[in-house]
Amino acid sequence: MRNAETVTFGASTLDRAAHLRKSADKLAKDPTAQAIVMWRGKPLIETKTVKVAHFPMSHPILKNPDARIFLGLGENGPVFAYDISSWEPDADPDDVSFIDQTLQNHPDAPDICAFQETRAIMALLSRDGAELVAAAKGILSWHESHKFCAKCGAPSDMTEAGWQRNCGTCSASHFPRTDPCVIMLITHGNKVLLGRSPHWPEKMYSLLAGFMEPGETIEAAVRREVIEESGIEVGTVGYMTSQPWPFPSSLMIGCEGIAATTEIKLDENELEDALWATKEDLIESLCGNSDDILPARKGSIAQFLIENWLKDSIS
Ligand SMILES: [Zn+2]
């Protein structure tokens, strides 16, 4: 589709320089090297400008990290992600709702910086910054949940500058996982199929989505998810664009599908509601004039696909 690469987290401009991962220690001593800082999944952000904060490698905030990942070669030199999740802020976050709105200031970071929930700022980050955050957040969450060998259960060790774990007991190698998830713009003429999950903010609707299963094509996953959740049969399915979605490690595969039926039969275990919305309904919703439908979150591929459908710039 046109504009596909403009989706949030979709820059793909970072040179990951995988061939340099074994030389990460040497790269970390390069005077041009810089690091971004992550804490419990939240990037350290210059909050007024909503920029991902970069630090020289000698900066005190980088001392004693829990993990260091070589992200790749940026415009100005090597870029690392430092995880400092074991740091304890003075006060516990007390506003962890649908989106964590709390900010944490680190004593070693400039006052203009704070750790900030990625969902709250993702649509405001630069394209390069969003890509760094997506990579760092995804890889660090993988390490967090894969500390032990999936084959024998022994503790495993990080290697390849953070892009692999090896088991010293059974010699198995483990690689970061990305979980593919289909998300689909299902249309019937002037209408698009929307659904909402029970835990979402009131009246928020989005495109239907679901994880792919082993042995399944993208097209089959689209048709299965839609009929499971809404009872709608889907005919033609086409790929549109994808979005790295580091919550914690999905790849959203954006598709379009033409509905072959229109009668909704809701799976109440999956969805609280589903409906057909017209283009006019969605324009009202995006303009903030709808009492019935709140749009999907800005920065999400759902909103991106819907906006492009409304602009007629899908294909
Ligand atoms: Zn093992």
Side-chain angles (χ1 to χ4, degrees), residues 17-30 33 57 68-72 78-80 82 159-163:
H19 62 290
L20 297 177
R21 287 174 184 166
K22 287 191 194 314
S23 316
D25 287 345
K26 193 173 157 200
L27 288 171
K29 294 184 180 116
D30 187 303
M57 303 300 274
R68 185 187 73 185
I69 312 285
F70 171 56
L71 294 177
V79 183
F80 289 80
Y82 273 60
T159 184
E160 292 290 321
W163 294 92

Short mmCIF file of all heavy atoms in Angstrom, two decimals, residues 17-30 33 57 68-72 78-80 82 159-163:
data_model
loop_
_atom_site.label_atom_id
_atom_site.label_comp_id
_atom_site.label_asym_id
_atom_site.label_seq_id
_atom_site.Cartn_x
_atom_site.Cartn_y
_atom_site.Cartn_z
N ALA A 17 23.53 -4.09 11.63
CA ALA A 17 24.94 -4.51 11.61
C ALA A 17 25.18 -5.79 12.40
O ALA A 17 26.04 -5.84 13.29
CB ALA A 17 25.83 -3.36 12.12
N ALA A 18 24.44 -6.83 12.05
CA ALA A 18 24.54 -8.08 12.80
C ALA A 18 25.96 -8.65 12.78
O ALA A 18 26.38 -9.33 13.72
CB ALA A 18 23.55 -9.10 12.23
N HIS A 19 26.70 -8.34 11.72
CA HIS A 19 28.07 -8.88 11.62
C HIS A 19 28.99 -8.27 12.67
O HIS A 19 30.09 -8.76 12.90
CB HIS A 19 28.63 -8.64 10.22
CG HIS A 19 28.74 -7.18 9.86
ND1 HIS A 19 27.63 -6.38 9.65
CD2 HIS A 19 29.83 -6.37 9.71
CE1 HIS A 19 28.03 -5.15 9.37
NE2 HIS A 19 29.35 -5.12 9.40
N LEU A 20 28.56 -7.18 13.32
CA LEU A 20 29.41 -6.53 14.34
C LEU A 20 29.04 -6.95 15.76
O LEU A 20 29.65 -6.48 16.72
CB LEU A 20 29.28 -5.00 14.22
CG LEU A 20 29.77 -4.39 12.90
CD1 LEU A 20 29.53 -2.88 12.90
CD2 LEU A 20 31.27 -4.69 12.70
N ARG A 21 28.05 -7.81 15.91
CA ARG A 21 27.58 -8.12 17.27
C ARG A 21 28.65 -8.77 18.13
O ARG A 21 28.70 -8.57 19.33
CB ARG A 21 26.32 -8.99 17.18
CG ARG A 21 25.12 -8.17 16.74
CD ARG A 21 23.88 -8.98 16.49
NE ARG A 21 22.81 -8.12 15.98
CZ ARG A 21 21.69 -8.53 15.43
NH1 ARG A 21 21.48 -9.85 15.28
NH2 ARG A 21 20.79 -7.68 15.00
N LYS A 22 29.52 -9.56 17.50
CA LYS A 22 30.59 -10.18 18.30
C LYS A 22 31.62 -9.14 18.74
O LYS A 22 32.43 -9.39 19.62
CB LYS A 22 31.27 -11.28 17.48
CG LYS A 22 30.40 -12.52 17.31
CD LYS A 22 31.21 -13.68 16.73
CE LYS A 22 30.34 -14.81 16.24
NZ LYS A 22 29.28 -15.23 17.14
N SER A 23 31.61 -7.97 18.11
CA SER A 23 32.58 -6.92 18.45
C SER A 23 31.94 -5.83 19.30
O SER A 23 32.42 -4.69 19.35
CB SER A 23 33.12 -6.27 17.17
OG SER A 23 33.44 -7.22 16.20
N ALA A 24 30.84 -6.16 19.98
CA ALA A 24 30.09 -5.12 20.70
C ALA A 24 30.93 -4.45 21.79
O ALA A 24 30.81 -3.24 22.00
CB ALA A 24 28.82 -5.73 21.29
N ASP A 25 31.78 -5.21 22.47
CA ASP A 25 32.60 -4.60 23.53
C ASP A 25 33.49 -3.50 22.96
O ASP A 25 33.65 -2.44 23.55
CB ASP A 25 33.47 -5.67 24.22
CG ASP A 25 32.64 -6.57 25.11
OD1 ASP A 25 31.48 -6.19 25.40
OD2 ASP A 25 33.13 -7.64 25.48
N LYS A 26 34.06 -3.79 21.79
CA LYS A 26 34.93 -2.81 21.14
C LYS A 26 34.10 -1.60 20.67
O LYS A 26 34.50 -0.45 20.86
CB LYS A 26 35.62 -3.48 19.94
CG LYS A 26 36.74 -2.71 19.35
CD LYS A 26 37.44 -3.55 18.28
CE LYS A 26 38.16 -2.62 17.31
NZ LYS A 26 38.43 -3.27 16.04
N LEU A 27 32.94 -1.87 20.10
CA LEU A 27 32.08 -0.77 19.64
C LEU A 27 31.64 0.13 20.78
O LEU A 27 31.48 1.34 20.62
CB LEU A 27 30.83 -1.33 18.95
CG LEU A 27 31.04 -1.97 17.58
CD1 LEU A 27 29.76 -2.67 17.14
CD2 LEU A 27 31.44 -0.92 16.56
N ALA A 28 31.45 -0.47 21.95
CA ALA A 28 31.00 0.32 23.11
C ALA A 28 32.06 1.32 23.54
O ALA A 28 31.75 2.30 24.22
CB ALA A 28 30.65 -0.61 24.25
N LYS A 29 33.31 1.08 23.14
CA LYS A 29 34.40 2.02 23.50
C LYS A 29 34.60 3.08 22.42
O LYS A 29 35.40 4.00 22.59
CB LYS A 29 35.69 1.24 23.70
CG LYS A 29 35.62 0.31 24.90
CD LYS A 29 36.95 -0.39 25.15
CE LYS A 29 36.86 -1.31 26.34
NZ LYS A 29 37.04 -2.70 26.03
N ASP A 30 33.88 2.96 21.32
CA ASP A 30 33.99 3.95 20.25
C ASP A 30 33.51 5.30 20.79
O ASP A 30 32.43 5.39 21.39
CB ASP A 30 33.12 3.49 19.07
CG ASP A 30 33.30 4.37 17.84
OD1 ASP A 30 33.09 5.61 17.94
OD2 ASP A 30 33.65 3.81 16.80
N ALA A 33 29.94 6.23 20.15
CA ALA A 33 28.86 5.34 20.59
C ALA A 33 27.93 6.07 21.56
O ALA A 33 28.36 6.91 22.35
CB ALA A 33 29.44 4.09 21.25
N MET A 57 28.66 6.92 26.28
CA MET A 57 28.84 5.68 27.03
C MET A 57 29.46 5.89 28.41
O MET A 57 29.40 5.01 29.25
CB MET A 57 29.70 4.71 26.21
CG MET A 57 29.12 4.41 24.84
SD MET A 57 27.49 3.66 24.91
CE MET A 57 27.94 1.95 25.09
N ARG A 68 22.88 -5.03 28.34
CA ARG A 68 23.29 -4.09 27.30
C ARG A 68 23.11 -4.76 25.95
O ARG A 68 23.58 -5.86 25.73
CB ARG A 68 24.76 -3.71 27.47
CG ARG A 68 25.21 -2.64 26.49
CD ARG A 68 26.71 -2.41 26.55
NE ARG A 68 27.44 -3.52 25.95
CZ ARG A 68 28.76 -3.63 25.94
NH1 ARG A 68 29.51 -2.73 26.53
NH2 ARG A 68 29.35 -4.67 25.36
N ILE A 69 22.38 -4.09 25.07
CA ILE A 69 22.09 -4.63 23.74
C ILE A 69 22.71 -3.72 22.70
O ILE A 69 22.55 -2.49 22.78
CB ILE A 69 20.56 -4.66 23.46
CG1 ILE A 69 19.78 -5.28 24.64
CG2 ILE A 69 20.24 -5.34 22.13
CD1 ILE A 69 19.88 -6.75 24.76
N PHE A 70 23.40 -4.28 21.74
CA PHE A 70 23.88 -3.49 20.60
C PHE A 70 22.74 -3.43 19.59
O PHE A 70 22.38 -4.45 18.99
CB PHE A 70 25.13 -4.13 19.99
CG PHE A 70 25.54 -3.50 18.69
CD1 PHE A 70 25.80 -2.13 18.60
CD2 PHE A 70 25.68 -4.28 17.54
CE1 PHE A 70 26.18 -1.56 17.38
CE2 PHE A 70 26.05 -3.71 16.32
CZ PHE A 70 26.30 -2.35 16.25
N LEU A 71 22.16 -2.24 19.41
CA LEU A 71 21.02 -2.12 18.50
C LEU A 71 21.44 -1.99 17.05
O LEU A 71 20.73 -2.44 16.14
CB LEU A 71 20.16 -0.90 18.88
CG LEU A 71 19.44 -0.98 20.23
CD1 LEU A 71 18.69 0.32 20.50
CD2 LEU A 71 18.48 -2.17 20.27
N GLY A 72 22.60 -1.35 16.81
CA GLY A 72 23.05 -1.21 15.43
C GLY A 72 23.83 0.08 15.23
O GLY A 72 24.25 0.72 16.20
N PRO A 78 27.68 3.81 16.71
CA PRO A 78 26.99 2.65 17.31
C PRO A 78 25.94 3.09 18.33
O PRO A 78 26.15 4.06 19.06
CB PRO A 78 28.13 1.89 18.01
CG PRO A 78 29.39 2.39 17.36
CD PRO A 78 29.13 3.80 16.96
N VAL A 79 24.84 2.36 18.36
CA VAL A 79 23.76 2.67 19.31
C VAL A 79 23.47 1.43 20.16
O VAL A 79 23.27 0.33 19.61
CB VAL A 79 22.47 3.11 18.60
CG1 VAL A 79 21.40 3.50 19.62
CG2 VAL A 79 22.74 4.28 17.66
N PHE A 80 23.46 1.63 21.46
CA PHE A 80 23.17 0.54 22.39
C PHE A 80 21.88 0.85 23.15
O PHE A 80 21.46 2.01 23.25
CB PHE A 80 24.32 0.40 23.40
CG PHE A 80 25.59 -0.15 22.81
CD1 PHE A 80 26.45 0.67 22.10
CD2 PHE A 80 25.90 -1.50 22.95
CE1 PHE A 80 27.62 0.16 21.53
CE2 PHE A 80 27.06 -2.01 22.39
CZ PHE A 80 27.93 -1.17 21.68
N TYR A 82 20.55 0.26 27.03
CA TYR A 82 20.90 -0.17 28.38
C TYR A 82 19.61 -0.36 29.17
O TYR A 82 18.76 0.52 29.21
CB TYR A 82 21.77 0.89 29.07
CG TYR A 82 23.25 0.74 28.78
CD1 TYR A 82 23.72 0.81 27.47
CD2 TYR A 82 24.16 0.52 29.81
CE1 TYR A 82 25.07 0.66 27.20
CE2 TYR A 82 25.52 0.37 29.55
CZ TYR A 82 25.97 0.45 28.24
OH TYR A 82 27.31 0.29 27.96
N THR A 159 24.12 -13.71 24.66
CA THR A 159 25.31 -13.63 23.82
C THR A 159 24.98 -12.83 22.56
O THR A 159 23.86 -12.32 22.43
CB THR A 159 25.84 -15.05 23.49
OG1 THR A 159 27.03 -14.94 22.76
CG2 THR A 159 24.82 -15.85 22.71
N GLU A 160 25.91 -12.72 21.65
CA GLU A 160 25.71 -11.97 20.40
C GLU A 160 25.17 -10.56 20.68
O GLU A 160 24.23 -10.11 20.02
CB GLU A 160 24.77 -12.73 19.46
CG GLU A 160 25.35 -14.02 18.90
CD GLU A 160 26.48 -13.77 17.90
OE1 GLU A 160 26.38 -12.82 17.11
OE2 GLU A 160 27.47 -14.53 17.94
N ALA A 161 25.78 -9.90 21.65
CA ALA A 161 25.41 -8.51 21.99
C ALA A 161 23.93 -8.37 22.32
O ALA A 161 23.32 -7.32 22.14
CB ALA A 161 25.79 -7.55 20.87
N GLY A 162 23.34 -9.47 22.81
CA GLY A 162 21.95 -9.42 23.24
C GLY A 162 20.97 -10.06 22.28
O GLY A 162 19.77 -10.09 22.57
N TRP A 163 21.43 -10.62 21.18
CA TRP A 163 20.50 -11.12 20.16
C TRP A 163 20.40 -12.64 20.16
O TRP A 163 19.87 -13.25 19.21
CB TRP A 163 20.91 -10.59 18.78
CG TRP A 163 20.74 -9.10 18.75
CD1 TRP A 163 21.69 -8.16 19.06
CD2 TRP A 163 19.54 -8.37 18.47
NE1 TRP A 163 21.15 -6.90 18.98
CE2 TRP A 163 19.83 -7.00 18.61
CE3 TRP A 163 18.24 -8.74 18.10
CZ2 TRP A 163 18.88 -6.00 18.42
CZ3 TRP A 163 17.29 -7.74 17.90
CH2 TRP A 163 17.62 -6.40 18.06
#
